[in-house]
Amino acid sequence: MSNISDNVKHLREEIATAAAHAGRDPEEIKLMAVTKTQPAAAVNQAIAAGVTLLGENRAQELCARYEEYDKHPGMEIHFIGHLQTNKVKMILGKISLVQSVSSLRLAEEISKQSAAAGISTDLLLEINIGGEESKGGVPPEETEQLARQIALLPAVRLCGLMAIPPIWEENGVGERYFAGMQEIQVDIRGKKIDNVSMDILSMGMSDDFAAAIKHGSTMVRVGTAIFGYRHRK
Ligand SMILES: *Cc1c(COP(=O)(O)O)cnc(C)c1O
């Protein structure tokens, strides 16, 4: 049995250690609890342990549990899963940022629905850093063009990048994907596009967050190391 509160405490220590190794301030790195398949009670234990950011993969699951969350001012929810355009409306108002944007069409829909609701929604571009055919995400070489197009939309703001790199077996091999993400971040930042910031670099999960922190991650998305193993649905 895993104790969620202990897990969160332990993770914070590991994040601090990884930050120290990288010569970084641990305050720069935000811990997200990825809630998929977890009951609201488990999520609330993470919130009680001080987690202030939740990551949601499925629109329906979010809506089903949303009312049960012990929400408090300052707590944020980000959407991190595949989002269909017809589900945008149901999650707006519940989430403050969508991390998994990889098409202009989705960004346009989020902007349109946000404008209708009188709000502005923050976005990250999901980058297909491993060039995997089976995965969604923006091909690295198309990042700048898409960033420039999204910059023109009225009710969204592009705030950075996220990635789910390929799984690797050998220690260290996957680090080049994190390094590649950091290169894209620096490159786009250097273009100084109006209405685009590159402040958030969302990368690193239970097994690889230390390597991600070494390469500039500002947000680690952790499920298993907080909640234990998921029951596959
Ligand atoms: C499930 C998931 C995570 C967390 O993965 P763990 O290995 O359980 O920490 C992070 N990001 C995304 C997008 C996910 O779907």
Side-chain angles (χ1 to χ4, degrees):
M1 274 298 287
S2 57
N3 178 318
I4 291 170
S5 165
D6 287 348
N7 291 348
V8 169
K9 190 164 165 261
H10 185 67
L11 256 172
R12 289 204 188 285
E13 286 163 8
E14 287 191 305
I15 289 169
T17 303
H21 278 299
R24 299 181 58 200
D25 178 356
E27 297 291 314
E28 290 172 15
I29 300 140
K30 190 134 186 165
L31 171 63
M32 165 189 282
V34 176
T35 66
K36 64 187 173 226
T37 78
Q38 300 301 330
V43 177
N44 284 337
Q45 283 182 46
I47 294 171
V51 168
T52 58
L53 175 62
L54 306 180
E56 299 283 333
N57 287 74
R58 298 187 187 96
Q60 245 110 7
E61 205 179 22
L62 167 62
C63 293
R65 289 180 309 204
Y66 183 74
E67 295 306 328
E68 292 175 61
Y69 286 162
D70 295 331
K71 296 181 286 292
H72 54 79
M75 199 189 95
E76 264 191 278
I77 303 179
H78 290 183
F79 198 83
I80 60 171
H82 178 70
L83 182 58
Q84 290 167 290
T85 48
N86 63 358
K87 302 260 170 68
V88 168
K89 208 172 170 174
M90 67 193 263
I91 66 163
L92 285 187
K94 298 185 175 68
I95 55 98
S96 58
L97 186 151
V98 179
Q99 297 205 353
S100 41
V101 174
S102 58
S103 71
L104 182 60
R105 191 167 156 263
L106 178 60
E108 282 172 341
E109 181 64 16
I110 297 170
S111 181
K112 185 177 142 202
Q113 298 292 346
S114 297
I119 58 173
S120 173
T121 303
D122 290 344
L123 310 178
L124 303 185
L125 287 180
E126 179 174 347
I127 307 299
N128 187 347
I129 192 64
E132 296 169 284
E133 277 185 25
S134 61
K135 266 191 200 164
V138 185
E141 65 277 11
E142 292 173 20
T143 310
E144 182 185 347
Q145 193 196 353
L146 186 53
R148 288 189 184 281
Q149 290 170 319
I150 290 175
L152 303 175
L153 300 175
V156 291
R157 197 176 117 84
L158 185 56
C159 300
L161 308 172
M162 82 89 99
I164 311 170
I167 294 165
W168 63 86
E169 305 294 333
E170 256 176 277
N171 243 350
V173 172
E175 271 196 45
R176 65 189 163 98
Y177 299 118
F178 294 137
M181 286 295 292
Q182 197 172 22
E183 273 175 36
I184 299 171
Q185 180 198 33
V186 168
D187 180 52
I188 303 287
R189 183 178 274 156
K191 310 282 180 189
K192 298 199 190 309
I193 304 168
D194 273 351
N195 198 32
V196 170
S197 90
M198 282 287 126
D199 293 344
I200 301 179
L201 192 52
S202 169
M203 59 187 195
M205 315 200 297
S206 292
D207 292 331
D208 58 11
F209 63 84
I213 287 169
K214 184 173 159 191
H215 293 283
S217 171
T218 67
M219 191 174 283
V220 294
R221 309 181 310 265
V222 180
T224 312
I226 293 178
F227 297 110
Y229 284 100
R230 286 183 282 279
H231 299 283
R232 303 277 163 195
K233 278 194 180 165

